[in-house]
Amino acid sequence: MVTSIDNVRGLTLAISSSAFIGSSFIIKKIGLKKAGDSGVRAGSGGFSYLYEPLWWLGMITMILGEVANFAAYAFAPAVLVTPLGALSIIFSAVLAHFVLKEKLHMFGVVGCILCVVGSVGIVLHAPKEREIDSIDEIWHLATEPGFIVYSCVAVVSVLFLIFWVAERSGHRKMLVYIAICSTMGSLTVISVKAVAIALKLSFGGSNQFIYIQTWFFIVVVIVCCLVQLNYLNKALDSFNTAVVSPVYYVMFTILTIFANMIMYKDSFSRNATQIATQLCGFVTIVAGTFLLHKTRDMGNEPPLPDDEICLDGGSVRPDRLSQSSS
């Protein structure tokens, strides 16, 4: 087990981030329901939720969660922070069970337990964060041949997927959109970590914002986030959320850890047992995440039969078809 004050701080911030983000979904949903009772629902194109204080409280809670997640990267390695994002699913599932009365199925409870067990395994064998004294050190790591090759392959792959594959088959292939989001996400995390460390050093008295490298990383964060949000929205709009969310989590986490291993080379400071234990922890979290998503509607309103699912993702019941034709 590798322990350090920075790892503890990063772990605390990562768990706090998951708690805030998981809670924000519940608070916003309550606000959306209240707004829908007095105006046009958001699902019908209404914006009455903008006048609902609870919805704004949910937004503030989510922002606090993202800020905590951003800060976590300044203290702990991405191999520790990124997988713990799955804990937000547990917080939202448990709160939905007690607050929204959305029943958490027995398999959902098992999924929560798997996520917790996997997270503990990752935390106990997380590598110690590498000491960084300036943005120049990060720039040196980012401009080494290994990471330059990864960055070039990532950018070329994303451009190919956007301008060639997505234009021809994106509406039918979920993995196209998710691959774009995940690949850009791995570069986002690298840049976010650089900016977070720059802020940490600046608050410590060594101003890092006088260097152009810091602003380069900020631009990369903005560009990558915009691309991510665009194609993640397309994936969620075109495919089942219960499938998109866990697949995106798995692909995003794998690429993020891989990118950090190439840049920071933290895997070379660990033995085979530590690496294997973290890998098992990650696989356990993946299993728990899939189980939570696939069973989240059990005990609530039953899904429509397969023959009632429309090709465009919508659903129509036979009685409504007969009513519309009459």
Side-chain angles (χ1 to χ4, degrees), residues 194-237:
V195 176
I197 291 175
L199 281 169
K200 175 185 172 184
L201 294 172
S202 297
F203 284 131
S206 176
N207 185 11
Q208 300 298 306
F209 288 85
I210 60 175
Y211 301 109
I212 191 171
Q213 292 95 326
T214 304
W215 294 101
F216 173 82
F217 284 120
I218 292 174
V219 171
V220 173
V221 169
I222 295 172
V223 172
C224 290
C225 282
L226 290 175
V227 175
Q228 268 185 273
L229 287 173
N230 180 36
Y231 283 93
L232 183 58
N233 286 334
K234 288 185 177 183
L236 291 171
D237 186 54

Side-chain angles (χ1 to χ4, degrees), residues 4-213:
S4 70
I5 297 298
D6 279 352
N7 268 21
V8 172
R9 289 172 180 168
L11 171 63
T12 303
L13 286 167
I15 294 176
S16 301
S17 170
S18 294
F20 279 123
I21 293 174
S23 302
S24 71
F25 292 132
I26 307 304
I27 298 172
K28 286 199 295 182
K29 188 163 185 175
I30 295 173
L32 288 170
K33 284 185 175 181
K34 289 188 66 176
D37 292 337
S38 57
V40 181
R41 299 182 66 87
S44 302
F47 296 96
S48 56
Y49 60 86
L50 294 176
Y51 301 97
E52 176 54 51
L54 273 177
W55 185 84
W56 284 106
L57 177 61
M59 281 298 297
I60 293 172
T61 306
M62 176 171 280
I63 291 171
L64 288 174
E66 294 297 345
V67 170
N69 188 59
F70 179 88
Y73 282 108
F75 296 99
V79 70
L80 170 62
V81 177
T82 305
L84 292 182
L87 294 180
S88 63
I89 302 173
I90 296 178
F91 283 106
S92 61
V94 172
L95 285 174
H97 177 77
F98 290 105
V99 178
L100 300 178
K101 307 303 179 184
E102 296 180 357
K103 185 177 179 182
L104 184 61
H105 193 268
M106 180 184 66
F107 290 116
V109 175
V110 175
C112 289
I113 294 173
L114 286 174
C115 287
V116 172
V117 171
S119 299
V120 170
I122 287 177
V123 170
L124 291 179
H125 295 84
K128 185 178 179 180
E129 175 70 333
R130 181 172 184 161
E131 292 293 334
I132 301 291
D133 297 321
S134 70
I135 197 70
D136 281 335
E137 287 187 43
I138 302 177
W139 184 256
H140 174 72
L141 292 171
T143 52
E144 287 190 350
F147 189 73
I148 288 179
V149 170
Y150 175 82
S151 300
C152 291
V153 170
V155 171
V156 171
S157 299
V158 167
L159 291 175
F160 174 74
L161 290 172
I162 291 175
F163 294 107
W164 182 262
V165 182
E167 290 294 325
R168 290 161 174 77
S169 57
H171 66 287
R172 288 184 285 112
K173 294 185 179 179
M174 178 185 68
L175 288 178
V176 174
Y177 291 146
I178 295 180
I180 294 171
C181 297
S182 301
T183 306
M184 295 303 287
S186 66
L187 298 178
T188 301
V189 170
I190 292 292
S191 302
V192 162
K193 186 171 180 64
V195 176
I197 291 175
L199 281 169
K200 175 185 172 184
L201 294 172
S202 297
F203 284 131
S206 176
N207 185 11
Q208 300 298 306
F209 288 85
I210 60 175
Y211 301 109
I212 191 171
Q213 292 95 326

Side-chain angles (χ1 to χ4, degrees), residues 174-175 178 182 242-252 290:
M174 178 185 68
L175 288 178
I178 295 180
S182 301
V243 179
V244 171
S245 296
V247 173
Y248 173 59
Y249 167 77
V250 172
M251 192 177 294
F252 167 71
F290 269 98

Side-chain angles (χ1 to χ4, degrees), residues 234-278:
K234 288 185 177 183
L236 291 171
D237 186 54
S238 305
F239 304 98
N240 190 339
T241 306
V243 179
V244 171
S245 296
V247 173
Y248 173 59
Y249 167 77
V250 172
M251 192 177 294
F252 167 71
T253 304
I254 289 174
L255 289 177
T256 298
I257 292 175
F258 184 63
N260 275 268
M261 286 173 59
I262 293 175
M263 181 165 169
Y264 291 100
K265 303 176 179 62
D266 54 19
S267 60
F268 297 108
S269 62
R270 291 180 288 166
N271 57 44
T273 303
Q274 289 177 312
I275 296 175
T277 304
Q278 278 212 305

